[in-house]
Amino acid sequence: MDETDFFDEGALVGVLTTQPLDRILDYKAPAGGCWLGAFVEVPLGPRKVLGVVWGKGRGDWDISKVRSVIRALDVAPMRDEMRSFVEKSAQYTLTSLPSMLRLATRAPGLSDPPSMRKVYRFGDKEPDRQTDARKRVIETLKEYGGLAFTLKELSEMAGVTSSVVKGLVKQDVVLEENSPRDLPFQRMEPDHGARELTPEQEAAALRLREGIESQTYGTTLLRGVTGSGKTEVYLEAIADCLRVGRQALVLLPEIALTAEFFTRIEARFGAKPAEWHSGVTMTERRRIWKMVGQGGAQVVIGARSALFLPFQNLGLIVVDEEHDTSYKQDDGVLYNARDMAVLRASLCGARVVLASATPSLESWANADAGKYERLELTSRFGPAVMPDMRVIDMRAESLPSGTWISPTMQAAVKTRIEKGEQSLLFINRRGYAPVTLCRACGEQIGCDHCDARMVEHRFLKRLLCHQCGESKPMPEECPSCKVEGKLAPVGPGVERLAEEAQAHFPDARLAVLSSDLFGSARALKEGIQAIAAGGADIIIGTQLVAKGHNFPLLTLVGVIDADLGLQGSDLRAAERTFQLMRQVAGRAGRSERKGTALMQSFQPDHPVIRAILAGDEEGFWKAEAAERQQAGVPPYGRMAGIILSSTDVQEIFDLGNALARSDGALRQIGAQVFGPAPAPIARVRGRHRVRLLVKADKTAPLQAALSKWIGQFKIKGDIRLSVDIDPQSFF
Ligand code: ADP
Ligand code: ZN
């Protein structure tokens, strides 16, 4: 920043606020002046709101009416690169600037004056009487030199109760001091806990190091089977990043579940990283937000929204499990964190590492086209090898109706139990049964507010809508024909599968892993740890188990319905099934014991099932790419979804039709519009939804055409319009 970025008191500045206004407002710089990018508090009508000095004022406002910025906040100004990131991501996703700025200021109490809290440091004295607990406190403090800790941190690190610390405070052995609430994070040591890499890992780490040291933008697709050491390799890239004095961000899906991962980072760098996700306390959020901005947090492990943190000097973004669908935000601002990571890195000269065992076709295509560098890890670390994969042809199995575990699968589970090993039965459906049918009238119980069936959850004794979360007690009688005792579950969910497994193996210890069965993220973490330690013989799980948890005793993975994901009209159905099956199969045999994956399928000759079995990833991607290229769909063409919603269904169809008729702006760029049609889920929370789909060539300036097209219409009253660039869900 130079002095031209400084505004003297009274100078006109343009302030972008987080309020839904469609323009940047003029204000006068406050007493003492302010920097470009300063976070400020400004008056807006009777209120005070948060904003950022975005540039010079426009001066097209009656100067006598221009009000003054109330004050500049005591936080680092927003950097140029962050402002362009906010602008460019808003343009890309067709989101308003204020909504984007809200994402970038998601830390409560930013404008509060810095408050104080008590911290504890060594007083350089010995206590009158030494105890083991006291010794541990003193040793901990000595080990960290002059550092101060909160009571909670110190007692946890020393493994003592807080009264032990308080006792030492009385004798001045430990000093109690007031300190600003938002403390920097402990330094991470790049050389702490470094491990020896295999030659293959070393080669990959070296390539990444060259990129980090160049301090220029570049994206690398790091591909390798589960257990090949991708994490180990990108930890080295983080170390390199620390060595050159830059910050690193690691994005993880399902962040709240990855206790194992945090332990690993701490073991590698000798300190805890900052942890950013929706489960983190408000004060911790504010601390991270501020510390990231002033360099007091070197490594952040976060959910997708961590991309909008105000890093002071970001050198590396790792997107782990880059293919994961949860990177696409599907509520509020619709963005794909993987794409935004690449955008952000390109603006600040950082590297991106996309890590996955089963990359998305998008990333595969980018690597294939030479836009991304590609690094491969081909073998698993240590003795573990990829499991044997076999299909169970369900047409040849005989099983009673209402059951799903084939005799072949049962036999395989039985062998594992006898050997003291674990089996995982996988079904990607929560609840007891996906459909509740009335045998008297044929009614399927649906949600009152959504176009979706209610799913029975037997543990909760309730019906749940997986769209809106509405729930009601399981009724005795059919809501439609009022006949009692005729409601029957149809199809399997994870709970029903557990019931069946228990019936086959009454003495086995069963664990059901489904996100809704644990009260909190912590309970889930503990559940997973208990299972990993051998606390179950059979694990029944949903998609949740496909993610990075390590179960060393697991040697059999049984997929109950490998065909499930292949139904429906999603253009990524094949890709997703392929990825999910590979990942789930990859859970088996992660340690010394060889694993087996068995997939139940009614169409064992389906090309996707065959590709999964053959393990021919390259072949699968090539075939899939050719098909998408042919159809002109992503990543070889561009798509956007326009969702209109309202409580009045006629109103949105009228608007949808009007949009479809006035498609000049789209035709100009050779784009086509389809619809309006009822959206895949035509009603959510009582609001009707229709969708238009726009398809364009890869190189067409889609965003500009879309805003011109939509801009012709005023969106009034109850109607809401949202644009979804590169929609991920089609069902
Ligand atoms: P991925 O991220 O590809 O699934 P990980 O990095 O988690 O693989 O490695 C799998 C397991 O092997 C982990 O338990 C890890 O600690 C271990 N491992 C991998 N590489 C090494 C290495 N070079 N030295 C020691 N342990 C390793
Ligand atoms: Zn609902």
Side-chain angles (χ1 to χ4, degrees), residues 503-689:
H504 291 311
F505 304 101
D507 298 327
R509 293 164 307 152
L510 240 67
V512 183
L513 267 187
S514 177
S515 51
D516 54 324
L517 294 179
F518 293 84
S520 63
R522 170 181 295 248
L524 182 53
K525 263 185 209 171
E526 287 168 1
I528 289 172
Q529 275 159 1
I531 295 168
D537 304 310
I538 305 177
I539 307 160
I540 314 275
T542 58
Q543 180 135 11
L544 187 67
V545 299
K547 314 253 151 99
H549 320 293
N550 217 341
F551 299 119
L553 293 172
L554 183 71
T555 58
L556 172 71
V557 166
V559 175
I560 295 302
D561 188 351
D563 309 330
L564 190 61
L566 293 171
Q567 301 142 11
S569 57
D570 189 337
L571 74 89
R572 293 183 179 84
E575 175 184 349
R576 297 240 163 97
T577 302
F578 185 80
Q579 289 163 341
L580 191 59
M581 293 300 119
R582 296 278 303 179
Q583 278 156 26
V584 174
R587 296 291 105 203
R590 292 203 64 186
S591 52
E592 311 79 54
R593 309 168 200 237
K594 180 155 177 76
T596 303
L598 296 175
M599 279 173 247
Q600 300 191 152
S601 169
F602 283 94
Q603 32 184 342
D605 294 325
H606 192 290
V608 175
I609 303 284
R610 290 172 73 155
I612 294 166
L613 291 177
D616 176 14
E617 293 183 47
E618 212 61 32
F620 174 75
W621 292 126
K622 288 218 165 85
E624 184 66 16
E627 237 167 76
R628 295 230 206 134
Q629 199 146 25
Q630 178 77 27
V633 294
Y636 302 98
R638 308 196 58 192
M639 284 178 90
I642 313 294
I643 303 264
L644 304 171
S645 75
S646 162
T647 47
D648 179 353
V649 66
Q650 193 55 49
E651 196 175 59
I652 45 175
F653 266 105
D654 290 348
L655 176 60
N657 281 315
L659 274 162
R661 277 194 307 271
S662 344
D663 63 344
L666 297 177
R667 268 186 286 129
Q668 255 172 26
I669 62 157
Q672 280 174 290
V673 55
F674 302 91
I681 296 153
R683 196 164 59 109
V684 176
R685 294 185 192 92
R687 293 178 68 83
H688 297 276
R689 291 149 42 98

Side-chain angles (χ1 to χ4, degrees), residues 144-280:
Y144 286 101
L147 280 183
F149 300 95
T150 64
L151 188 56
K152 183 159 172 285
E153 283 167 349
L154 181 55
S155 35
E156 269 176 15
M157 285 190 326
V160 302
T161 59
S162 43
S163 59
V164 174
V165 178
K166 286 287 189 181
L168 290 170
V169 169
K170 273 209 194 105
Q171 304 184 19
D172 291 334
V173 177
V174 174
L175 304 179
E176 186 180 78
E177 296 167 352
N178 284 317
S179 141
R181 188 166 280 284
D182 301 314
L183 291 177
F185 286 79
Q186 216 180 306
R187 303 284 312 165
M188 319 271 295
E189 297 298 337
D191 298 314
H192 180 104
R195 292 214 254 193
E196 200 167 320
L197 300 182
T198 65
E200 191 185 45
Q201 293 171 348
E202 183 65 46
L206 204 64
R207 293 289 304 143
L208 293 180
R209 169 173 309 149
E210 286 164 11
I212 303 266
E213 285 174 354
S214 76
Q215 309 219 6
T216 56
Y217 161 75
T219 295
T220 304
L221 176 60
L222 177 62
R223 199 184 107 173
V225 292
T226 318
S228 59
K230 293 183 295 299
T231 311
E232 213 63 45
V233 169
Y234 74 65
L235 288 180
E236 290 319 300
I238 295 174
D240 291 329
C241 196
L242 294 173
R243 287 187 192 107
V244 297
R246 303 185 86 189
Q247 295 163 300
L249 166 65
V250 180
L251 298 181
L252 296 179
E254 306 280 348
I255 176 102
L257 309 176
T258 43
E260 206 185 321
F261 186 76
F262 284 92
T263 319
R264 203 164 157 184
I265 297 263
E266 202 179 345
R268 176 63 185 82
F269 299 112
K272 282 203 177 72
E275 177 177 354
W276 176 271
H277 55 81
S278 55
V280 169

